[in-house]
Amino acid sequence: MPSPRLWLRNPLAIFTANGLDARGGLVVQDGRIVELVAAGQQPATPCEQVFDASQHVLTPGLINTHHHFYQTLTRAWAPVVNQPLFPWLKTLYPVWARLTPDQLALATKVALAELLLSGCTTAADHHYLFPDGLEQAIDVQAGVVAELGMRAMLTRGSMSLGEADGGLPPQQTVQRAETILDDSERLIRDYHQRGDGAQVQIALAPCSPFSVTPEIMRASAELAERHDVRLHTHLAETLDEEDFCLQRFGQRTVDYLDSVGWLGPRTWLAHGIHFNDEEIRRLGAAGTGISHCPSSNMRLASGICPTLALEKAGAPVGIGVDGSASNDASNMILEARQALYLQRLRYGAEKVTPEVALGWATRGSAKLLGRSDIGELAPGKQADLALFKLDELRFSGSHDPLSALLLCGADKADRIMIGGKWRVVDGEVEGLDLKGLIAEHTQAARKLIGTL
Ligand SMILES: [Zn+2]
């Protein structure tokens, strides 16, 4: 028995991410979009339910492609507020090494709730900390994802190159290769869903060139190939990292990536800033994706990702908020705004439009995660929708609703639908005690840094 057809009628504005006309809204049934309605038209088949969307700007659910949920516990921490990447990491590692399962659960819930309220329906997390007692980190995260009803790409991160062997992280945060690979295989088996509508997927994500061995990179690529899952890592974020690669491997970052079997369409990279023209060409030819993280790149003064050049070469580009110790907000709609403005500094105002930035945050991000069922509005796609109202002071006097979303700084969705179910209604996450969560998470954050 099919569920009732729901027509989201005549939105104030709609961004389909593919140029299709849906100015009359769209029809949802059984968790999917079944019809787009052109301007001034009615649905082809009558609908049992109608939602008046005339006050809403409607977009595909935004997709976050890079985060470290656990870092919500170390936002705006005074010792690292003014540090660039390497010293920032070295100061934070010993704190993060104390992370417990309960703290991770709270951190994950806070990050996901924050993302959800900012228009995000699918979120990738890069978790690479598995100190003693936290071996089940990804299992903890999968539980929270299910509770909130979001979609997630949980990546099994890893660190295997400690200080003793010339790496950056302290020894207590690294794991043995065998442990990492066995757990990766277990997680794929237990959690990775395939096909349209998947709620949880697993990818393999050795942390960065300066925290994992080439052996782990190679073995992860082989494992990903064997199980047909995706690969994720940080690359070309800072010049310190480039120097590290030159000194340790005698290679620039993309040569290193290629040498360990990662230069291909299965891979998406966080940051991707310091590439020369030849490297951009190679990344494009390989179809390797890039997660642009503008706020983090500005906060750590890492540089500006060459987004348009990468896209022109053939590399898909998506958006990531990055971890909360370097953003420090998990706000996807604001991140699209940051991307718009930072990229205008690089490419000029005419080339980087609100539609381009929203395209990265939706369709581009979906490509990075290897998904064709989300990221745009079209018949057959999942009914993952973000609806924003423009009734706050910040929008007063604005004219073009879609531009206003980014230019006036929308920061909160009014409604969110995931797979046909409303998860946010009137700006509130369904079934979530937000005040209680903030209180518990605040306590946990103080405990982690040792001030409680
Ligand atoms: Zn990161």
Side-chain angles (χ1 to χ4, degrees), residues 66-68 71 85 88 126 128 207 232 234 237 270-271 293 296 322-323 326:
H66 186 64
H67 206 314
H68 311 286
Q71 291 181 8
L85 183 69
W88 174 91
H126 188 176
Y128 50 81
C207 190
H232 181 50
H234 294 97
E237 180 176 5
H271 307 296
C293 305
S296 170
D322 202 3
S326 67

Side-chain angles (χ1 to χ4, degrees), residues 3-4 6 8 28-33 49 116 120-121 146-151 197 199 382-387 415-425 428-430:
S3 69
L6 167 66
L8 288 94
V28 170
Q29 187 176 35
D30 293 327
R32 289 175 194 248
I33 298 166
Q49 298 172 355
L116 186 57
C120 177
T121 51
E147 209 181 310
L148 288 177
M150 289 178 72
R151 299 187 204 280
Q199 188 183 18
Q382 294 295 308
D384 290 9
L385 311 172
L387 287 79
R415 279 182 172 251
I416 296 290
M417 178 182 278
I418 303 176
K421 289 198 182 73
W422 290 116
R423 296 294 182 180
V424 171
V425 173
E428 309 269 346
V429 180
E430 292 282 276

Side-chain angles (χ1 to χ4, degrees), residues 103-381:
Q103 289 167 348
L104 177 63
L106 284 167
T108 301
K109 202 163 183 177
V110 160
L112 285 174
E114 202 184 347
L115 284 165
L116 186 57
L117 286 167
S118 73
C120 177
T121 51
T122 300
D125 191 57
H126 188 176
H127 188 88
Y128 50 81
L129 283 171
F130 298 84
D132 289 348
L134 193 58
E135 291 84 357
Q136 313 282 307
I138 305 297
D139 307 68
V140 168
Q141 292 192 314
V144 180
V145 169
E147 209 181 310
L148 288 177
M150 289 178 72
R151 299 187 204 280
M153 172 67 92
L154 299 175
T155 74
R156 204 298 180 186
S158 53
M159 297 204 290
S160 62
L161 185 67
E163 271 174 327
D165 301 306
L168 207 67
Q171 257 354 85
Q172 75 267 30
T173 60
V174 304
Q175 288 185 297
R176 288 172 46 245
E178 199 186 343
T179 310
I180 292 166
L181 298 170
D182 285 353
D183 195 44
S184 298
E185 225 162 358
R186 174 185 74 83
L187 290 165
I188 294 168
R189 195 181 56 232
D190 289 357
Y191 293 104
H192 185 71
Q193 299 172 5
R194 297 178 194 273
D196 280 10
Q199 188 183 18
V200 173
Q201 295 194 316
I202 301 290
L204 306 185
C207 190
S208 60
F210 49 83
S211 59
V212 294
T213 56
E215 290 72 33
I216 274 290
M217 291 294 283
R218 274 191 209 98
S220 297
E222 284 163 19
L223 202 59
E225 182 86 36
R226 188 153 14 110
H227 292 280
D228 191 21
V229 297
R230 295 184 80 75
L231 287 166
H232 181 50
T233 192
H234 294 97
L235 201 86
E237 180 176 5
T238 65
L239 292 173
D240 280 350
E241 178 200 325
E242 189 175 296
D243 289 345
F244 181 95
C245 287
L246 286 169
Q247 275 173 27
R248 187 169 178 99
F249 310 119
Q251 289 173 313
R252 287 177 54 80
T253 55
V254 174
D255 290 328
Y256 173 68
L257 197 74
D258 198 3
S259 73
V260 290
W262 275 58
L263 193 61
R266 192 183 292 287
T267 301
W268 89 100
L269 306 169
H271 307 296
I273 295 169
H274 301 283
F275 298 134
N276 60 32
D277 291 348
E278 172 62 10
E279 289 164 341
I280 288 172
R281 191 195 61 71
R282 286 166 68 195
L283 288 158
T288 301
I290 307 293
S291 172
H292 176 37
C293 305
S295 295
S296 170
N297 298 160
M298 287 189 273
R299 184 186 144 168
L300 299 173
S302 305
I304 306 179
C305 174
T307 51
L308 295 190
L310 284 159
E311 278 193 320
K312 196 169 169 216
V317 171
I319 301 274
V321 300
D322 202 3
S324 304
S326 67
N327 182 323
D328 305 32
S330 307
N331 192 303
M332 264 307 283
I333 190 69
L334 281 180
E335 203 62 21
R337 180 180 207 247
Q338 297 278 58
L340 173 76
Y341 286 154
L342 182 60
Q343 291 300 322
R344 281 189 170 191
L345 283 180
R346 183 156 197 151
Y347 292 108
E350 295 94 338
K351 288 197 177 121
V352 187
T353 62
E355 288 81 1
V356 165
L358 284 170
W360 288 330
T362 53
R363 201 171 172 183
S365 283
K367 267 195 192 145
L368 264 52
L369 303 188
R371 297 194 67 149
S372 56
D373 60 330
I374 55 174
E376 59 183 303
L377 307 180
K381 305 288 177 189

